[in-house]
């Protein structure tokens, strides 16, 4: 029932031979001895590149159904108000208006941007006109929108909620043992996702079925959500996300606007499209929440950490929770760690996961505290940090750190804090990343179909947010089948495919789907090889295909081109399903846990103007083995760019008098552009970890975790003064250097 | 009354949506002072608010259609003609996603009224590949993996194609300046620069 295989696990530098069982009929493991031909080797052209560069790709935003109506929302302008009454009678009579629907939950609006009603009209202009004509009477209430005003004890909206502390060892004892201790408060800002395609959907009832085109990261949970909205059975509810203009975590959940869209489409009997405008998207569709972290850290004379303590305040909006403490517990080795978190509420839109939720905030607080401790002790932060990740040789952390420092030229570039002559001072900083999630066994079912002309199709109900999921899927299939990637067709982005895939969150897509694809393709090909095995007097599992050539491993003389072998598929096709089966549960065969990486940043700070530019980032990252190298590198670069943008520019600004966001539009909300983009060097470190048969891990989130911290440390190194709040602006630089009354 | 002849020369050249709206406000304020004759003439030549007939030349094809005068060029392309390659992202002229050419010059389609684009050659992302062959910039984008979600890509391609049309051997800094009005949220800049380098190299730069 099982076959025992031996595999070389570890990473590029250190390996170990292990043995474990694999169920019969399932593929083996891509260990270090297995050289990739397609996946992770030469760059593969993004499968949907052609559609995207020509403008042919149809996003939800591009869907125009016959007879479609356009919807617009009526939003509350007050940060906190009781809703006394709504009068839509004027709006209902306006030209082109086909319906007005009031929102549920109309007792009180908890932030400026609360949905009051939805208007559907023939054109978007008419819908906007009518939305403006809906009369709403508010009874404005006291509110709080600034984190500083949202007192921990006397919050006017809702009592802060404190979680239980997470305790390892004894921090007080640890601080007593320390040679040096540093303690300070670190603050991060709130940043909306600003996906370029805003949140939205198109809902249509036709022939007794509901179809929703939805810009979503979670096809299947959205199918359940919209079926609920429309009172439809699941087998008559279809969700389509063929192309998607970014999500970054903000498009994982059901949406109130979608509920209203579906209900109105049902009532009016015409398709309805709602795409959020930039204002609604910014104030109400999620953000990376602000945090205040009181951090205390102690180290021995040689830099080994003795204790880390972080007391964190999170600001998730008017409700819910957020968490920033994970990095304090997981990024470095330390015998004594204490973290505690409290959610503090403001009258602002809810936070949502944003590319490694909580991690960039925590990483900033942690790495800056270490940086300041090193500055105090006169130590090189690189030496201190690498000392505290040196655990076991199989764990790639130390190796990654060394590779990155070498490529970055840390030893040559690092100077004592603030010692560069200026006026444009150069500084360098480094930080680590950790990501603890891997795939969900059973979370994906993939289908492989082989055709007699040698082409193949893989199908899976998942979504490509822009990560290159399709390309990853095709590469994994081509690698398994041993054929050119051009022969693979990928079907995805539609619940009608009928094969469940994971939501795209937690960087779980690739580690859940890649093993399912490998399994399906392996099984389909084994069926085919069963038809050849007789002629060769061979066992099907001994027949393999590499670079379009099928041969018998035991007798390499027996061989034929893939095209010839594929003729035995016949006109009925060969179909097989594959799943991500649970990983072998054997002690000592896993490579640490999760994914690791390290980043190095170089900045220039003009101490006369305060201007900061990030010049270079070296990003070392593992994602197990990259299934599609070019796209994995693009993910690293994207995480870094968003990190630099977060560190230096982005900041949601709330007006404490009006209670509204002052910069919901992109012309007032600074995002890094082409002129400010640093030179980025992504370095993928292969890690061979039998967490799944493909050794695949997700790379969307981890590279975003350490960038802002590395940039902040580099600024500190350049000017010799810490800047303890993000974003690091020229004003803060000058303030740090010359005091408030310069 | 909408002008049935499609005559709208009274709308001055070079008006952005903002200054146009501002102009409307000022006009209303001074109207009584100018007297009845001006008012009557204005009404006769006035556009809207009802849809009015206009003619647009898009990717060398001529379209006759009815639009409200307040509709932007990009709204008309997308909502009335289903030409959806060009995206609207910020709708305020600050992200470059809606870049199209007007008589060969790049403009933000969200900042221009459709009525203003008459009698001009409009080129969109759908129109820059010729005879089914990709524009060299489009080819370079795919080759360098210079896109992720792809929503900003049409705008970036339009502007970069223009940079290389003006200087086939454009340097990296010239390309960056040419793209400074664009935002890529996924952060594909490193790959976009690589694509530009490849185009420049192929042109002998």
């Amino acid at each position: 029932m099982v076959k025992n295989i031996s595999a070389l696990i570890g990473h590029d530098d250190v390996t170990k031979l292990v043995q474990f069982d694999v169920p019969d009929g399932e593929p083996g493991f891509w260990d270090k001895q297995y050289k990739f031909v397609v996946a992770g080797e030469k760059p593969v052209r993004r499968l949907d590149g052609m559609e995207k560069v020509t403008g042919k790709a149809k996003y939800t935003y591009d869907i125009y159904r016959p007879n479609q109506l356009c919807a617009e929302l009526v939003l509350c302008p007050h940060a906190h108000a009781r809703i006394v009454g709504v009068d839509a009678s004027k709006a209902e009579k306006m030209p082109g208006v086909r319906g007005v629907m009031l929102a549920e939950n109309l007792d009180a609006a908890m932030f400026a941007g609360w949905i009051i009603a939805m208007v559907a009209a023939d054109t978007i202009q008419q819908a906007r006109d009518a939305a403006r004509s809906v009369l709403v009477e508010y009874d404005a209430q006291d509110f709080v929108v600034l984190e500083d005003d949202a007192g921990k004890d006397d919050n006017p909206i809702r009592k802060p909620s404190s979680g239980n502390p997470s305790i390892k060892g004894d921090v007080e004892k640890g601080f007593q043992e320390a040679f040096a201790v540093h303690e300070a408060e670190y603050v991060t800002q709130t940043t909306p996702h600003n996906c370029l395609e805003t949140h939205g959907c198109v809902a249509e009832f036709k022939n007794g079925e509901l179809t929703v085109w939805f810009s979503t990261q979670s096809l299947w949970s959205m199918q359940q959500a919209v079926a609920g909205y429309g009172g439809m059975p699941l087998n008559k509810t279809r969700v389509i996300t063929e192309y998607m203009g970014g999500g970054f975590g903000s498009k994982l959940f059901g949406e109130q606007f979608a509920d209203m869209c579906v209900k109105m489409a049902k009532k009016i009997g015409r398709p309805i499209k709602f795409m959020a405008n930039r204002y609604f998207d910014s104030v109400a569709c999620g953000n990376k929440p602000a945090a205040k972290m009181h951090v205390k850290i102690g180290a021995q004379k040689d830099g080994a950490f003795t204790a880390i303590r972080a007391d964190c305040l999170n600001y998730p909006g008017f409700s819910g929770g957020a968490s920033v403490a994970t990095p304090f517990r997981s990024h470095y080795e330390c015998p004594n760690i204490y973290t505690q978190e409290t959610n503090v509420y403001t009258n602002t839109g809810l936070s949502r996961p944003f590319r490694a939720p909580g991690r960039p905030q925590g990483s900033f607080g942690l790495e800056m505290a270490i940086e300041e401790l090193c500055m105090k002790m006169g130590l090189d932060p690189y030496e201190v940090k690498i000392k505290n990740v040196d655990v076991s040789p199989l764990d790639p952390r130390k190796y990654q750190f060394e590779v990155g420092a070498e490529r970055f030229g840390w030893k040559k570039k690092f100077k004592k804090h603030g010692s560069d002559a200026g006026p444009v001072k150069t500084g360098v900083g480094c930080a680590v990343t950790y990501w603890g999630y891997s795939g969900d066994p059973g979370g994906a079912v993939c289908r492989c179909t082989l055709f007699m002309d040698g082409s193949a199709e893989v199908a899976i109900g998942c979504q490509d947010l822009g990560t290159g999921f399709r390309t990853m899927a095709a590469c994994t299939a081509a690698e398994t089948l041993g054929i050119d990637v051009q022969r693979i067709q990928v079907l995805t982005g539609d619940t009608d495919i009928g094969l469940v895939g994971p939501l795209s969150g937690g960087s779980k897509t690739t580690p859940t789907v890649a093993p399912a694809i490998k399994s399906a393709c392996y099984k389909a090909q084994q069926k085919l090889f069963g038809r050849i095995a007789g002629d060769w007097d061979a066992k099907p599992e001994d027949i393999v295909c590499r670079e379009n050539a099928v041969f018998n491993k035991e007798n390499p003389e027996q061989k034929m081109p893939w095209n010839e072998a594929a003729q035995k598929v016949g006109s009925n096709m060969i179909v097989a399903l594959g799943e991500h089966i649970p990983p072998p549960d054997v002690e000592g065969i896993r490579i640490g846990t999760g994914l690791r990486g390290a980043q190095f940043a170089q900045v220039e700070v003009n101490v006369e103007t305060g201007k900061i530019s990030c010049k270079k980032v070296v990003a070392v990252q593992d994602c197990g083995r990259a299934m599609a190298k070019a796209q994995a590198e693009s993910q690293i670069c994207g995480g870094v760019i968003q990190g630099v943008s977060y560190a230096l520019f982005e900041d949601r600004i709330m007006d404490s008098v009006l209670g509204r966001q002052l910069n919901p539009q992109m012309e007032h909300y600074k995002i890094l552009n082409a002129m400010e983009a640093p030179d980025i060097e992504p370095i993928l470190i292969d890690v061979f970890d039998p967490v799944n048969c493909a050794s695949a891990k997700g790379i969307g989130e981890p590279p975003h975790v350490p960038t802002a911290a590395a940039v902040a440390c580099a600024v500190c190194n350049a000017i010799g003064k810490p800047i303890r709040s993000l974003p690091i602006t020229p004003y803060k630089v000058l303030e740090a250097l010359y005091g408030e009354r310069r | 009354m909408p002008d049935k002849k499609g005559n709208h020369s009274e709308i001055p050249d070079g008006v952005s949506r903002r200054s146009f709206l501002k102009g409307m406000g000022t006009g209303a304020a001074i109207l009584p002072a100018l007297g009845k004759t001006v008012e009557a003439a204005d009404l006769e030549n006035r556009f809207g608010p009802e849809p009015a007939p206009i003619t647009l030349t898009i990717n060398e094809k001529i379209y006759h259609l009815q639009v409200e005068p307040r509709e932007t060029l990009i709204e008309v392309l997308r909502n009335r003609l289903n030409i959806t390659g060009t995206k609207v992202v910020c709708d305020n002229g600050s992200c470059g996603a809606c870049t199209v050419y007007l008589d060969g010059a790049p403009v933000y389609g969200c900042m221009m009224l459709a009525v203003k684009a008459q009698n001009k050659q409009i080129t969109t992302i759908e129109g820059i590949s010729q005879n089914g062959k990709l524009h060299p910039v489009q080819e370079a984008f795919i080759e360098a993996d210079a896109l992720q979600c792809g929503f900003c890509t049409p705008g970036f391609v339009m502007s970069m194609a223009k940079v290389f049309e003006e200087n086939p051997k454009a340097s990296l800094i010239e390309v960056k300046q040419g793209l400074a009005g664009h935002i890529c949220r996924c952060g594909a800049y490193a790959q976009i620069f690589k694509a530009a380098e490849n185009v420049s190299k192929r042109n002998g730069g």
Side-chain angles (χ1 to χ4, degrees), chain A residues 14 30 138 179 186 194 432 485 492 531 571 645 651 705 737:
Chain A
V14 178
W30 282 333
Y138 298 101
F179 170 75
Y186 299 92
N194 269 311
V432 298
V485 71
T492 193
R531 298 175 189 177
S571 52
S645 190
D651 196 0
V705 175
L737 285 170

Side-chain angles (χ1 to χ4, degrees), chain A residues 394-730:
Chain A
L394 267 188
D395 185 300
R397 279 188 276 177
K398 182 163 180 267
Y399 174 64
Q400 289 175 336
F401 232 129
E402 287 166 350
V403 168
E406 178 70 30
R407 197 76 69 88
F408 182 75
W410 179 273
K411 292 224 159 66
K412 236 189 277 168
K413 283 179 177 167
F414 176 75
K415 286 184 239 159
K416 266 188 69 172
H417 290 79
S419 67
D420 195 19
V424 177
K425 294 189 172 202
T426 297
V428 293
C430 57
V432 298
T433 180
Y434 162 72
W435 192 248
Y437 297 109
S438 55
D440 291 329
V445 179
C446 175
R447 184 182 69 224
C448 172
T449 309
L450 300 179
F451 297 96
M452 61 191 288
D453 64 355
S455 65
E457 177 192 274
V458 291
I460 185 148
C462 205
Q463 53 283 318
D464 191 337
L465 286 59
T467 53
F469 167 74
R470 279 185 181 86
T471 317
M472 184 286 295
C475 287
T476 310
E479 185 65 51
T480 312
L481 295 170
I483 63 177
D484 297 333
V485 71
Q486 289 78 12
R487 294 173 187 258
I488 312 286
Q489 172 78 15
V490 178
L491 282 189
T492 193
D494 189 341
T495 53
D496 260 12
I497 293 169
L499 297 157
V500 74
L503 59 81
S504 295
S507 297
K508 288 179 169 191
T509 317
T510 294
T512 305
V513 174
I517 292 172
K518 185 180 172 185
S519 175
C521 292
Y522 175 80
K523 288 174 184 166
Q525 203 175 38
Q526 281 294 304
K527 284 190 192 176
L528 170 63
F529 290 164
R531 298 175 189 177
I532 297 167
D535 299 345
W536 287 354
D537 197 17
K539 282 189 274 183
E541 56 266 35
D542 287 334
I543 302 176
V544 290
C545 181
R546 297 279 276 170
E547 297 182 72
N548 305 307
V550 178
F551 58 94
N552 180 359
K553 259 196 304 189
E554 300 299 310
N555 180 6
E557 296 291 292
Q558 292 178 323
K559 59 182 176 187
M560 68 169 82
W562 167 252
N563 272 345
E564 198 183 316
Q567 282 168 19
K568 291 194 186 286
V569 167
S571 52
N572 281 349
M573 305 177 285
I574 289 179
V575 179
L577 298 180
E579 274 187 63
H580 170 16
I581 58 168
D585 184 21
V586 182
E587 191 85 8
I589 67 152
R590 295 291 311 281
I591 314 300
T593 51
L595 295 76
R596 301 283 180 175
Q599 291 186 12
F600 297 79
Q602 183 176 351
V603 300
E604 285 178 5
V605 186
N606 185 323
V607 293
E608 289 173 357
T609 64
K611 189 182 178 211
I612 312 128
S613 29
C614 182
K615 291 304 200 191
K616 184 167 181 77
V617 175
V618 169
V620 188
Q621 185 65 53
D622 95 64
C623 63
R625 297 185 80 167
M627 299 295 117
K629 191 159 180 261
Q631 286 69 33
E633 287 179 349
S634 285
Q635 282 293 296
I636 296 177
C637 292
V640 167
I641 289 287
Q642 285 186 350
V644 175
S645 190
Y646 176 59
L648 300 180
F649 303 117
E650 296 185 37
D651 196 0
R652 183 189 75 181
I653 298 169
M654 298 302 298
D655 185 317
S656 62
V657 178
L658 291 171
R660 296 178 208 163
Q661 184 181 347
L662 285 172
N663 56 350
Q665 304 291 351
M666 284 173 81
E667 71 266 34
H668 300 135
Y669 183 87
K670 173 71 184 142
I671 296 173
L672 176 145
N673 72 14
M675 298 299 284
E676 294 135 356
D679 179 23
I680 305 170
E681 198 176 332
I683 301 170
L684 280 165
I685 302 284
D686 279 343
V687 170
F688 310 91
D689 183 349
V691 59
N692 57 56
C693 65
S695 194
K697 301 185 185 184
I699 200 170
E701 287 158 295
H704 180 56
V705 175
T707 314
V711 169
C713 290
V715 172
C716 179
N717 175 242
I719 65 174
K721 301 269 184 195
I723 291 173
R724 293 177 179 149
S725 72
L726 295 181
I728 303 170
T729 59

